[in-house]
Amino acid sequence: MNLTVIKPGMLTSVQDLGRRGYQNVGVPVSGPMDVCSHRLANAVLGNDPMAAALEITLLGPELVAGGSVTCAVAGADIDVTVDGVPVERNRPFDVPQGSRIRFGARRRGARMTLAVRGGFDVPLTLGSRATHLASGMGPFGGRALKADDILPVAAPSRPSPPSRPSPPSCASFSNVIRILPAVHRDRFVGAAWDLLIQSRFTVTPQSNRMGYRLKGPPLVHAGAGEILSEGMPVGAIQVPPSGQPILLMAECATTGGYPTIANVISADLPIAGQLAPGDWLQFVPCSRDEAIAALRAREKWFRDTLGA
């Protein structure tokens, strides 16, 4: 069984939950921009959460099934059809041999996950099937999918989940993102923090899976706009000498040389992952306890709703 790419869409790549454990030697984690939707699509199929799926950005691909497969989509609100028949998000749907999956109009969000029961059986690199576009690491030479690529489907390793109503979407399309102060906050003038939380920023066209380059009022450094290179997490908000912040996303490098004024909380990174160039966002501060509570609430939702 497999899916063959007829049209690749704007940017479609294979992702699992990321290549963890190698950041100390400079290997980024990568993985999905919206982890929640990736987990949801796999969970409704009964897959392991780590199973490889497709991350589809804005304009979806066209795929044809080589053998009968079962799929699920989650995340961005995009029309999906099988041989012209619409399918629902967040629940399994069958794709008979020779049938075509097509993606149509997008209403909200930027990224959709397409999972297949069993997961895509593409080669592992350092224990992960995630694609890191910037370094060319992962299946298909670490690149986005092209026409004629063939995606083999693995045999399911778990029993099919019981039939149940479609769960609500876990994708959030909010423009409000919660942050915590970062270790370099004192490297900015006092007004910079106020500007950060009181202003709207726009995701510019120069953004990608490594990071969102944001446009808004400049955040002024108190001293030099650079630091000795140090470790950088996903969600860090770096500020280069221009004062225009960069929000580090799933493919970010493991180190960076610009001061960070804040970090997006883990629970809100999937929300940021659904933003597209031209969207605005506003950062709001929260406490460490609120950040932990939000992450616990997300995990409780997965346990209570999907048993995952």
Side-chain angles (χ1 to χ4, degrees):
M1 296 183 294
N2 60 62
L3 292 178
T4 297
V5 179
I6 305 302
K7 299 176 183 176
M10 178 177 288
L11 176 63
T12 304
S13 63
V14 177
Q15 301 294 340
D16 60 16
L17 291 183
R19 191 167 286 104
R20 298 182 183 278
Y22 300 97
Q23 288 172 285
N24 62 321
V25 290
V27 177
V29 174
S30 195
M33 293 280 274
D34 178 354
V35 171
C36 285
S37 295
H38 181 99
R39 290 175 61 184
L40 174 58
N42 273 322
V44 298
L45 292 170
N47 286 346
D48 186 295
M50 190 65 179
L54 298 184
E55 181 181 89
I56 292 157
T57 303
L58 297 176
L59 180 64
E62 181 177 333
L63 309 164
V64 63
S68 295
V69 296
T70 302
C71 300
V73 290
D77 187 2
I78 297 174
D79 288 337
V80 184
T81 61
V82 175
D83 291 340
V85 178
V87 300
E88 293 182 45
R89 291 186 297 162
N90 311 333
R91 68 174 304 160
F93 58 90
D94 293 327
V95 185
Q97 181 172 357
S99 293
R100 297 201 174 208
I101 307 172
R102 293 184 174 94
F103 296 78
R106 178 182 71 95
R107 282 171 290 277
R108 293 185 302 172
R111 294 171 179 87
M112 172 172 264
T113 297
L114 169 75
V116 60
R117 177 152 169 74
F120 290 112
D121 189 16
V122 291
L124 291 160
T125 304
L126 298 178
S128 168
R129 296 181 170 89
T131 302
H132 188 262
L133 298 168
S135 67
M137 183 176 292
F140 300 100
R143 60 165 170 77
L145 295 185
K146 293 181 177 179
D148 300 326
D149 283 340
I150 297 175
L151 295 152
V153 177
S157 60
R158 297 180 174 187
S160 296
S163 179
R164 55 192 168 199
S166 298
S169 176
C170 61
S172 174
F173 305 115
S174 173
N175 297 84
V176 178
I177 308 290
R178 290 171 287 185
I179 57 173
L180 292 168
V183 293
H184 300 143
R185 178 178 167 180
D186 61 357
R187 290 175 176 264
F188 296 84
V189 301
W193 179 262
D194 293 337
L195 278 175
L196 180 69
I197 62 174
Q198 294 172 1
S199 308
R200 286 187 175 186
F201 292 85
T202 302
V203 180
T204 70
Q206 290 72 44
S207 302
N208 54 31
R209 280 177 43 85
M210 291 185 69
Y212 291 166
R213 288 187 175 274
L214 305 178
K215 184 173 179 56
L219 308 178
V220 178
H221 298 87
E226 296 182 349
I227 58 172
L228 290 175
S229 186
E230 63 181 50
M232 287 289 160
V234 177
I237 302 175
Q238 285 187 320
V239 184
S242 68
Q244 298 296 318
I246 303 171
L247 170 55
L248 301 184
M249 297 298 292
E251 279 201 11
C252 72
T254 57
T255 60
Y258 299 134
T260 57
I261 191 170
N263 292 306
V264 172
I265 68 172
S266 296
D268 283 6
L269 284 172
I271 300 173
Q274 288 295 345
L275 296 173
D279 287 342
W280 63 268
L281 73 162
Q282 183 161 6
F283 297 111
V284 296
C286 75
S287 68
R288 179 176 177 274
D289 287 346
E290 289 170 334
I292 292 172
L295 195 57
R296 284 176 171 166
R298 184 178 83 182
E299 296 307 307
K300 184 176 186 301
W301 183 89
F302 271 99
R303 286 195 306 273
D304 294 350
T305 307
L306 298 163

